[in-house]
Amino acid sequence: MTTAFPFIRPARLGLPLAIGPSGPVSFEKFLGDVAALAHLLPRHRHIVNLCSDRYRFSVALAAALLREQVTVLPPGDSPAVLGGVVAEFDDLYALHDDAAPTLAIPAMAYPRASEHGSPAAVPLIAADQPAIILFTSGSTGRPTPHRKNWGSLAGSALAAGSALGVGDMPGAAVIGTVPQQHSYGFESTVMLPLLHGLTLHHSRPFYPSDIAVSIERAPRPRILVTTPIHLRAIVVDPGQLPPVDLVVSATAPLSVSLAAEAERRFAAPLLEIYGCSEAGQLATRRTVAGDEWQCMEGVALRQNAAGTWASGASIGGEVLLGDVIELRAPDRFCLRGRTADLVNIAGKRASLAHLNHHLHSIDGVQDGVFLMPEEGDGPATRLMAVVVAPELTADAIMAALRERIDPAFLPRPLRLVDALPRNALGKLTRDAVMRLVDRNARRSS
């Protein structure tokens, strides 16, 4: 007999299932919207869900599952990224709720009319039904697709909710600053509320003032799902922050000092999630309590000469992780950097993440990143750094770095720029940073 999981769990205590563009959305209305959209979807195998509104995105996800269509979630919305996705899959169409994408495939606009379908029973989706295709961020190379079935997605969401303690926050409004097309945003702002009876929030606020407004307008309890880059911008903003009941962060390492300040400003605990597109969500930790991570229920780690492997029902096999991990038990570990971040200069080793941590600790540095030049540049290869620090000179930053890191890793050159080309998750790609450096060099020459 095939195992199946429901697509949604009803909100508790008569609370709305979602806060949509027009206000609260009931459980019954959501099911009606799903039924109506499923009836309108064209016959294709793959759907690119480009809906920027999180509620419409979720309706489209459910409708596609009912039609047994696989949802493709691109790692970005630039023409180049979308073009690469289109070239990789056949029998494809796009669904959007904004301007139509410029793509060589059929495109359908999310229906704006008030027509709704008749609410049906909560759909049960077979665990082995192909559901979505996620991509790696592409920060160190070309984005790689990873296929997920419904059972692994549901299992991961259920384990994450237990690890985050959302059972103690019935009906909590989940407000996210991250896009739902990325694995973290998808799992934490869509799957988490839908499978735990929480309230899905349609918006994606970006600026600190907008984030504060979205939180203030949502009923308590409230959960903020965000990233270190957003948290850094939020805590330095002088505006008053409304309290939440939980802050969740992922996508990049979070410093203890930033976590502590975020907990103080939001009057709530902050938990980090560790995971990746390949394996999903794997572990959590409360940053201010220590550097040890606790695996989610059902996840186990093991190590061999190749590295650290994660396994579990929600993973669907074993996945080799791209991080340097100090394993303390099969379900407890500490992170020591990204495997791809390790650099060796003059016989000395360090991780770029560790160097970035020291760079960000300098007063006056708003953002910055260390980069390793391409191989083949000769034996005297040195690291470079690109830094946003309007009130500092390059010499002042170098002096501060000399007090923090080994001289072998001091950057040559160090470039000052107005802003780094981070994406909606706060991530950087090497190509985008190098293009920025090249443009600045041409302007100054």
Side-chain angles (χ1 to χ4, degrees):
M1 183 176 179
T2 302
T3 304
F5 292 93
F7 181 77
I8 54 174
R9 175 183 175 185
R12 300 185 196 178
L13 307 174
L15 295 171
L17 179 138
I19 298 173
S22 302
V25 179
S26 69
F27 181 73
E28 292 75 18
K29 183 180 184 301
F30 176 81
L31 291 178
D33 288 348
V34 170
L37 182 60
H39 179 72
L40 296 174
L41 293 182
R43 294 176 179 270
H44 288 278
R45 177 59 178 157
H46 297 103
I47 171 175
V48 182
N49 191 337
L50 298 176
C51 290
S52 57
D53 180 279
R54 219 179 300 270
Y55 176 74
R56 294 171 185 149
F57 173 95
S58 303
V59 170
L61 174 71
L65 285 168
L66 291 182
R67 293 290 298 274
E68 297 188 359
Q69 297 178 359
V70 179
T71 295
V72 179
L73 300 181
D77 57 4
S78 69
V81 169
L82 292 177
V85 170
V86 168
E88 197 153 349
F89 300 96
D90 58 3
D91 197 18
L92 189 73
Y93 74 103
L95 179 71
H96 62 92
D97 61 353
D98 205 338
T102 306
L103 294 171
I105 58 171
M108 172 184 170
Y110 189 96
R112 303 280 181 171
S114 58
E115 177 184 348
H116 303 294
S118 300
V122 176
L124 289 174
I125 310 298
D128 59 359
Q129 178 175 322
I132 65 169
I133 298 173
L134 289 164
F135 288 77
T136 57
S137 64
S139 57
T140 58
R142 182 181 177 184
T144 304
H146 294 277
R147 299 175 182 270
K148 306 281 186 177
N149 60 34
W150 178 245
S152 66
L153 292 174
S156 179
L158 293 172
S162 176
L164 295 173
V166 300
D168 296 328
M169 294 174 276
V174 180
I175 301 155
T177 67
V178 292
Q180 57 271 13
Q181 280 81 9
H182 180 268
S183 58
Y184 168 51
F186 175 76
E187 291 182 310
S188 297
T189 68
V190 175
M191 293 297 295
L192 183 72
L194 290 179
L195 288 187
H196 286 274
L198 307 179
T199 304
L200 182 147
H201 200 286
H202 75 100
S203 70
R204 178 162 69 90
F206 180 80
Y207 295 106
S209 59
D210 295 332
I211 294 170
V213 168
S214 292
I215 295 171
E216 187 66 52
R217 291 178 178 175
R220 295 190 72 173
R222 301 183 286 225
I223 299 172
L224 177 65
V225 177
T226 189
T227 68
I229 193 69
H230 284 119
L231 283 173
R232 194 175 300 122
I234 292 169
V235 299
V236 300
D237 188 89
Q240 181 67 33
L241 291 175
V244 299
D245 298 274
L246 175 66
V247 180
V248 180
S249 178
T251 74
L254 184 64
S255 69
V256 174
S257 60
L258 180 54
E261 180 63 10
E263 289 200 354
R264 185 186 71 81
R265 293 291 303 277
F266 283 111
L270 183 150
L271 298 180
E272 281 188 271
I273 293 178
Y274 169 72
C276 57
S277 298
E278 301 92 320
Q281 301 172 112
L282 299 174
T284 59
R285 70 169 180 175
R286 186 172 180 185
T287 316
V288 299
D291 62 355
E292 188 170 277
W293 294 81
Q294 177 68 49
C295 287
M296 294 181 186
E297 185 177 357
V299 173
L301 304 181
R302 71 174 182 89
Q303 291 181 324
N304 61 16
T308 303
W309 298 80
S311 63
S314 63
I315 299 172
E318 272 198 323
V319 171
L320 180 63
L321 302 178
D323 293 290
V324 179
I325 287 176
E326 176 190 325
L327 197 60
R328 296 185 172 179
D331 63 347
R332 292 185 295 108
F333 63 94
C334 291
L335 286 175
R336 299 308 183 201
R338 294 284 295 171
T339 303
D341 278 354
L342 293 178
V343 294
N344 189 324
I345 296 179
K348 298 180 179 181
R349 288 164 57 90
S351 77
L352 295 179
H354 179 70
L355 297 174
N356 289 338
H357 168 76
H358 285 296
L359 179 61
H360 290 161
S361 72
I362 299 171
D363 287 340
V365 170
Q366 296 179 1
D367 201 358
V369 63
F370 274 82
L371 293 170
M372 184 70 175
E374 295 287 354
E375 294 182 6
D377 289 343
T381 292
R382 300 294 299 265
L383 293 171
M384 76 179 308
V386 186
V387 185
V388 180
E391 305 299 324
L392 299 178
T393 64
D395 287 343
I397 297 170
M398 289 291 286
L401 284 174
R402 286 191 185 95
E403 298 177 357
R404 290 166 167 81
I405 64 176
D406 189 285
F409 302 112
L410 289 173
R412 295 282 195 276
L414 187 151
R415 304 290 191 194
L416 292 174
V417 298
D418 295 332
L420 290 180
R422 293 187 180 274
N423 64 17
L425 286 165
K427 288 180 174 286
L428 293 166
T429 65
R430 178 189 175 81
D431 288 346
V433 176
M434 294 309 296
R435 285 195 298 269
L436 173 66
V437 170
D438 184 56
R439 288 196 302 270
N440 277 27
R442 288 200 302 270
R443 283 203 301 266
S444 60
S445 62

